[in-house]
Amino acid sequence: MSQSILIDGIEVPFKSNQTIMDAALAANIYIPHLCHNPCIKPHGSCKLCTVEVNGHTTSSCTTKAEDGQKVINNSEKLNKARLTITQMLFIEGNHLCPTCEKTGNCTLQAVAYHLGMLDGHFPQFYPKREVDASHPSIMLDRDRCILCELCVRASREFDKKDVFAIAGRGDNAHLIVNSPSGKLRDSDIEQNDLAAHICPVGAILIKERGYEIPIGCRTFDLRSVTEIDLGDVKLSEKSSHHE
Amino acid sequence: MEKETKNSNLRRVAIDPVTRVEGHGKITLLLDENNRVQEARLHIVEFRGFEKFIQGRPYWEVPFFVQRLCGICPVSHHLAAAKAIDQIVGVEQLTPTAEKLRRLLHFGQVLQSHALHFFHLSSPDLLFGFGSNLAHRNIIGVIEDYPDLALKGVKLRKYGQQIIKAISGKRIHGTAAIAGGMNKALAAEERNELLADINEVLVWSQDAVTLNEKIHVTHAENHNFAAIGSHFLSMVDDQGALELYHGGLRAKSVTGETIFDQFDYRGYQKIIREEVRPWSYMKFPFLTELGKEKGWYRVGPLARVNSCDYISTPLAEEARQRFKAFADGGFVQDTLAYHWARMIEVLHCAESIHDLLNDPDIYGTDLTVKSDEKRSEGIGVIEAPRGTLFHHYIVNDEGLIEKANLIVSTTSNNQAMNESVRAVADAYIDGHEITEGLLNHLEIAVRAYDPCLSCATHALGKMPLKIELVDASGQQVDRLFKHSDGTIER
C-alpha cells in the first residue's frame, strides 16, 4: 500500500525508511539545506531544512516520513528563519565571496541568493581561524567552514578514514584533523577521497587550482540551487575530480 | 615648502577630499597672516593594507584577491599578480593565444580607464576653465554643453569594459588570468561583437587626441602649470617601443640621459627603494642610484610617451611625433601634458585592439602552460594606466604568501604630485586671497596624474609615528618617536 505525505499541499509518495527530505528530493521539491547529502547519513546540524510537521518544527533530513504527515516547507515564516540562520553562518566565519575560489560553486552562497539575503545583518565576528596548507594537494581553509560535518561523515562513512572531527563548543567549535600533529599532511587523506571534494563552501579545496572554471560556467551560474539534484551533482563532481 | 613648522599662528587650509580622483586624499596648506604659503602637501588618508592581509593566503588566489585593490584598474593588478604567479609555477612563456588575450584585456582596461579619467574627471576643468562656475564644472556640465563629446567619452569607456567582460566574464573584477595562462577562450560571437564597433572607437580616439593636443598647444598658460622637471620611469619593449604589458624598464633623467634601460624588472629592488613618511599612508619611492632627495621620478602616460623611442601603431606614432615636436624633440615636462599623452595611449590601445581582434591567434583554445618547476618568488610588472606597477610575492613551501610588496603606479608619482601641488601653491595661492577657483588649481595639479589613491596605500606598520603629550598650557610634557624600522626613541 502506497504511503504519502503532504508538502505544502502537494501529495508526495515515500518509501519506508525515507526521511521527509528524501521524499521531497525524490519529488523534485526543494527544501533548503547545507549539511545534507544523499550519499551520507543525515546529520541535522545546519537546521536550514527545518519544516513544520503537523504543527511542530523539525529537521526534515532526520525526520522519518510517516503516512499522512502535513508538512509546511515554503512558508514566509520558515524562509525568514532560514535567512537568519544563513546570515549567522556568514558572519560567524570569514566568507569573502568575491575572492573565493568556490564562488559560483558554493552552496552557502547559492542558498543565500535563494533566500534573498542582501547583507549579513549581524555584526561580523571576524574570527581568527587557521589555514592548513600542509598537505601537498589539499588545503583546509577554516575561514569558510560552517561546521556542517559533511567532510567528517564522508571520511568516516565513505572513505573509511576518519580524518576530520569537530572540537570545541559554541564559539570555539572548529574543524580539527585527526593526525598526530593536527595537520593534514600527517593524516591519511588523499586527493581522490570524497572528503576532499564534498565541502559545500570551499573550506576544503584541491590546492593550486584557482578559477580554472570561468565566470558564467560555474555550477550555480548554470542552474539555481533549487534545480540541483544534490546526489547527482555531488557524485558527478567527485567523478570529474577522479578523472 | 614641505618643511614642518612649529608656528602656531599659521592658518591651515584643507581641500578634503580632493574631488574627481579615485580614492580619498586631501591637500593641506599652511598660510601665514599674509597668505604666504609655508607648507603644501598632498595627504593620502585612506588605508588599504593589502600587502599585509595577503599574507597567509594561497598564491593561486592572489590574482583574484589583489584585483580588489581597485574598481578602476583591477585588470592591471590582476595581470601583474598573474605574471608573478606564472613565475612561481615555473612558466616563462605563455601560449600565443593566452598572451594575446592578456594583452587584449589590458588594452581594454587602459582604454576604459583613460577615457574615464579625461572625459568624466578632467575634461570639465580643461573645457570650462580652472576657476569656472563650480556648479557647472563637472561631467553633467560637459553633457549639457558638449553632448557629442560626452557621449563619445562614455562610449569609449563602455567599449573598453566590453572587452574586459568578454575576456574575464565581468566588467569589473572578473576572472581571466590563471597560473600559466588564461581560463577562457574568446568566443567567435564575442570577437565579432567587439569588431563591429572598433572602427568607431578608432575615430573617437583620434578625436580625443586632437582635442587634447589643441587644448594643450593653444593654452600657453597650461604649459608651465604645476610644471616640474622630473626623471621618468617606464617600460619599453626590446626595440624601445611603448610597451604596456611586458618589457624592460627604462629610466630617463630630467635632462634626457639614460639612467638604465632594458632592465629586467625582476631585479627592481636594486634600482628602486621606498621611503615612508609620517604624514601619508602612501610610500615615496625613489631611484636607488640617485638617492631619496634627487631620485624621485614620474610614471604613467607622460613618462611612457616621453621615454619610448616610438609607438608600434601608426596613428599613435604620428600623434607621438607631434607631441615630441612640441618640446623640440626633448621631454615634455608640462604636467598638464599628461592628458595629451594619455589620449595618445588611448589611440594606441584602440589600434592594438583592432589588430588583435584580427589576429587568428586570438581565437585559439590553447590557453595554459604547465610546468613541474616551482619557485618561491615571483615578480610581475606591468604598465598600468597610471604607470609602472610592481607586484612581488614570496611563497612558503606550502604555497602560502609569506611576503608581498606592491609598488603601485600612483605611489611612484607621490613625490611628483606633492611637488606639483607646491608649484601651484607657489604660483597661484601664495600671497593671494583664497577662492574656490584657486583651490581647484591645486586639485587640477593632482588630477593630471590620474592618481588612484585607494590602490596605493599599503604601508601597514611601516609608517613613522610621533606622539607628543602636551599640557593645558601648550607645554610639551613627553614625546615618543617610532621610526619606520620599528625602533622607538623618546
Side-chain angles (χ1 to χ4, degrees):
Chain A
M1 196 175 96
S2 68
Q3 303 178 95
S4 65
I5 57 177
L6 280 178
I7 300 180
D8 294 333
I10 298 168
E11 188 169 344
V12 174
F14 68 92
K15 296 172 189 164
S16 57
N17 285 330
Q18 275 194 321
T19 61
I20 294 170
M21 174 68 82
D22 294 333
L25 283 174
N28 277 331
I29 292 174
Y30 177 68
I31 302 176
H33 58 270
L34 286 167
C35 73
H36 180 70
N37 185 309
C39 300
I40 308 291
K41 277 185 194 163
H43 189 248
S45 63
C46 78
K47 300 301 176 196
L48 270 182
C49 73
T50 298
V51 292
E52 285 184 38
V53 180
N54 299 337
H56 298 281
T57 52
T58 184
S59 300
S60 61
C61 69
T62 54
T63 304
K64 288 266 191 283
E66 291 178 14
D67 196 28
Q69 280 173 332
K70 290 182 178 168
V71 179
I72 298 173
N73 167 41
N74 192 18
S75 72
E76 189 180 341
K77 179 182 160 194
L78 284 170
N79 283 332
K80 198 172 171 188
R82 289 166 180 156
L83 172 63
T84 303
I85 291 168
T86 308
Q87 288 170 320
M88 289 195 287
L89 287 172
F90 268 93
I91 62 100
E92 284 170 7
N94 297 309
H95 296 279
L96 307 176
C97 295
T99 60
C100 180
E101 152 61 18
K102 193 76 172 180
T103 193
N105 288 329
C106 172
T107 312
L108 177 66
Q109 186 188 47
V111 166
Y113 278 125
H114 172 73
L115 295 170
M117 182 178 142
L118 297 175
D119 63 11
H121 183 73
F122 304 102
Q124 287 282 347
F125 278 25
Y126 294 120
K128 188 164 182 168
R129 293 184 179 170
E130 190 191 346
V131 171
D132 181 352
S134 60
H135 193 278
S137 57
I138 301 164
M139 185 174 117
L140 173 57
D141 185 348
R142 293 182 174 90
D143 276 343
R144 300 164 184 159
C145 181
I146 56 170
L147 304 173
C148 68
E149 297 196 40
L150 275 170
C151 58
V152 176
R153 289 174 283 150
S155 182
R156 189 185 302 144
E157 296 168 22
F158 199 91
D159 304 328
K160 310 294 181 194
K161 290 186 177 176
D162 203 19
V163 168
F164 297 106
I166 302 293
R169 290 178 177 275
D171 286 357
N172 292 322
H174 59 284
L175 188 65
I176 61 167
V177 176
N178 290 324
S179 71
S181 64
K183 293 284 189 184
L184 270 183
R185 69 164 174 260
D186 297 322
S187 74
D188 49 1
I189 192 168
E190 292 172 282
Q191 189 171 333
N192 283 346
D193 289 353
L194 181 60
H197 299 276
I198 201 167
C199 179
V201 292
I204 302 171
L205 286 172
I206 301 305
K207 287 176 79 172
E208 303 186 343
R209 286 185 186 169
Y211 289 90
E212 289 173 0
I213 305 171
I215 288 173
C217 302
R218 297 184 157 228
T219 306
F220 298 109
D221 294 337
L222 303 171
R223 289 196 293 169
S224 74
V225 70
T226 58
E227 295 170 317
I228 299 289
D229 179 315
L230 257 183
D232 195 1
V233 168
K234 292 296 175 191
L235 288 175
S236 67
E237 268 186 8
K238 179 172 161 54
S239 63
S240 70
H241 288 305
H242 278 236
E243 282 168 6
Chain B
M1 208 179 286
E2 195 192 319
K3 65 181 183 289
E4 289 186 54
T5 178
K6 297 284 182 190
N7 187 346
S8 58
N9 292 326
L10 296 179
R11 184 161 62 103
R12 182 171 174 275
V13 175
I15 303 172
D16 184 11
V18 177
T19 58
R20 287 187 270 133
V21 296
E22 286 96 16
H24 299 279
K26 68 177 176 184
I27 294 170
T28 59
L29 304 174
L30 290 178
L31 306 170
D32 65 17
E33 56 274 19
N34 298 316
N35 282 337
R36 309 294 302 193
V37 180
Q38 299 297 316
E39 181 186 285
R41 282 176 175 170
L42 169 67
H43 307 252
I44 312 306
V45 293
E46 65 175 302
F47 179 68
R48 306 296 300 282
F50 270 70
E51 285 177 353
K52 189 68 181 176
F53 60 71
I54 196 78
Q55 290 173 9
R57 299 306 308 167
Y59 73 79
W60 53 93
E61 199 179 79
V62 166
F64 311 97
F65 203 114
V66 294
Q67 66 171 341
R68 296 277 165 176
L69 271 163
C70 189
I72 306 296
C73 56
V75 169
S76 305
H77 293 290
H78 181 61
L79 290 177
K83 286 176 75 175
I85 301 313
D86 288 344
Q87 290 162 29
I88 287 170
V89 299
V91 173
E92 287 288 338
Q93 182 63 51
L94 302 181
T95 66
T97 296
E99 171 152 348
K100 286 174 183 176
L101 280 172
R102 283 193 186 181
R103 283 180 179 274
L104 181 59
L105 177 65
H106 192 44
F107 285 128
Q109 147 80 13
V110 176
L111 180 84
Q112 69 86 19
S113 176
H114 280 0
L116 168 78
H117 179 258
F118 174 69
F119 292 99
H120 296 68
L121 305 182
S122 285
S123 73
D125 299 321
L126 299 168
L127 295 171
F128 299 137
F130 298 180
S132 58
N133 176 16
L134 173 64
H136 195 62
R137 199 196 313 138
N138 51 50
I139 182 65
I140 304 299
V142 176
I143 292 169
E144 284 171 1
D145 289 13
Y146 303 95
D148 289 346
L149 180 77
L151 190 61
K152 282 179 193 171
V154 170
K155 284 184 170 177
L156 261 180
R157 176 158 197 244
K158 183 182 173 188
Y159 185 77
Q161 288 178 306
Q162 282 173 331
I163 290 177
I164 296 170
K165 183 171 187 287
I167 297 173
S168 74
K170 287 164 69 182
R171 292 184 180 203
I172 302 173
H173 300 142
T175 70
I178 56 175
M182 297 288 279
N183 70 1
K184 173 182 164 295
L186 186 68
E189 58 270 25
E190 291 169 330
R191 175 250 186 196
N192 292 339
E193 275 179 28
L194 294 171
L195 262 180
D197 294 329
I198 186 61
N199 289 330
E200 227 171 3
V201 166
L202 276 166
V203 172
W204 296 336
S205 302
Q206 286 175 274
D207 292 346
V209 174
T210 305
L211 174 64
N212 273 271
E213 185 176 334
K214 184 180 167 192
I215 288 172
H216 196 77
V217 171
T218 58
H219 286 75
E221 71 277 16
N222 287 6
H223 301 170
N224 289 320
F225 180 84
I228 52 173
S230 75
H231 314 307
F232 290 126
L233 176 74
S234 64
M235 188 183 271
V236 288
D237 76 4
D238 55 5
Q239 303 297 311
L242 177 77
E243 175 59 50
L244 299 176
Y245 177 71
H246 188 71
L249 294 179
R250 170 181 281 184
K252 292 277 192 180
S253 77
V254 65
T255 49
E257 285 115 24
T258 300
I259 301 170
F260 51 77
D261 199 4
Q262 298 296 345
F263 188 87
D264 183 345
Y265 59 65
R266 287 174 293 187
Y268 80 97
Q269 287 177 314
K270 291 179 192 150
I271 53 165
I272 294 172
R273 294 183 66 186
E274 294 176 277
E275 185 195 359
V276 183
R277 296 183 194 172
W279 47 271
S280 178
Y281 280 117
M282 193 153 74
K283 293 182 272 191
F284 289 80
F286 57 91
L287 300 172
T288 312
E289 187 180 326
L290 302 178
K292 62 184 175 186
E293 293 300 322
K294 294 181 178 172
W296 60 273
Y297 55 91
R298 289 197 273 191
V299 297
L302 190 69
R304 291 190 289 246
V305 175
N306 264 313
S307 300
C308 69
D309 299 331
Y310 68 100
I311 297 177
S312 58
T313 53
L315 297 174
E317 171 58 11
E318 279 177 32
R320 185 197 71 87
Q321 288 179 11
R322 293 196 299 275
F323 180 86
K324 293 294 278 187
F326 176 73
D328 298 324
F331 284 164
V332 181
Q333 289 278 5
D334 308 358
T335 297
L336 288 182
Y338 257 106
H339 298 292
W340 184 4
R342 199 169 279 122
M343 291 306 108
I344 293 172
E345 290 190 340
V346 163
L347 182 54
H348 172 61
C349 289
E351 289 180 283
S352 302
I353 290 165
H354 174 273
D355 294 348
L356 280 169
L357 289 174
N358 287 290
D359 186 329
D361 280 343
I362 211 76
Y363 306 119
T365 53
D366 186 9
L367 296 175
T368 54
V369 176
K370 300 283 182 198
S371 165
D372 293 330
E373 188 188 349
K374 287 281 187 301
R375 298 176 198 162
S376 61
E377 193 167 9
I379 297 169
V381 176
I382 199 165
E383 281 293 338
R386 290 154 190 81
T388 321
L389 169 66
F390 299 77
H391 278 224
H392 181 183
Y393 304 102
I394 296 174
V395 302
N396 65 17
D397 293 342
E398 297 179 350
L400 303 182
I401 301 292
E402 273 197 344
K403 190 176 175 187
N405 188 39
L406 312 176
I407 305 179
V408 179
S409 324
T410 296
T411 312
S412 287
N413 280 335
N414 198 0
Q415 182 72 29
M417 287 190 291
N418 273 282
E419 296 289 342
S420 287
V421 164
R422 277 173 223 131
V424 171
D426 253 351
Y428 293 89
I429 310 286
D430 201 40
H432 292 80
E433 191 61 38
I434 293 179
T435 62
E436 185 284 326
L438 280 182
L439 290 180
N440 186 46
H441 284 59
L442 293 167
E443 294 190 76
I444 287 167
V446 173
R447 232 171 257 138
Y449 292 87
D450 187 14
C452 188
L453 308 178
S454 51
C455 280
T457 56
H458 310 285
L460 182 62
K462 296 170 188 168
M463 187 189 258
L465 185 68
K466 184 168 70 179
I467 297 174
E468 289 179 341
L469 184 62
V470 181
D471 67 16
S473 66
Q475 194 69 31
Q476 189 184 86
V477 178
D478 201 359
R479 176 177 177 276
L480 202 65
F481 196 88
K482 183 187 168 213
H483 297 279
S484 55
D485 62 2
T487 56
I488 292 177
E489 178 189 334
R490 190 173 288 276

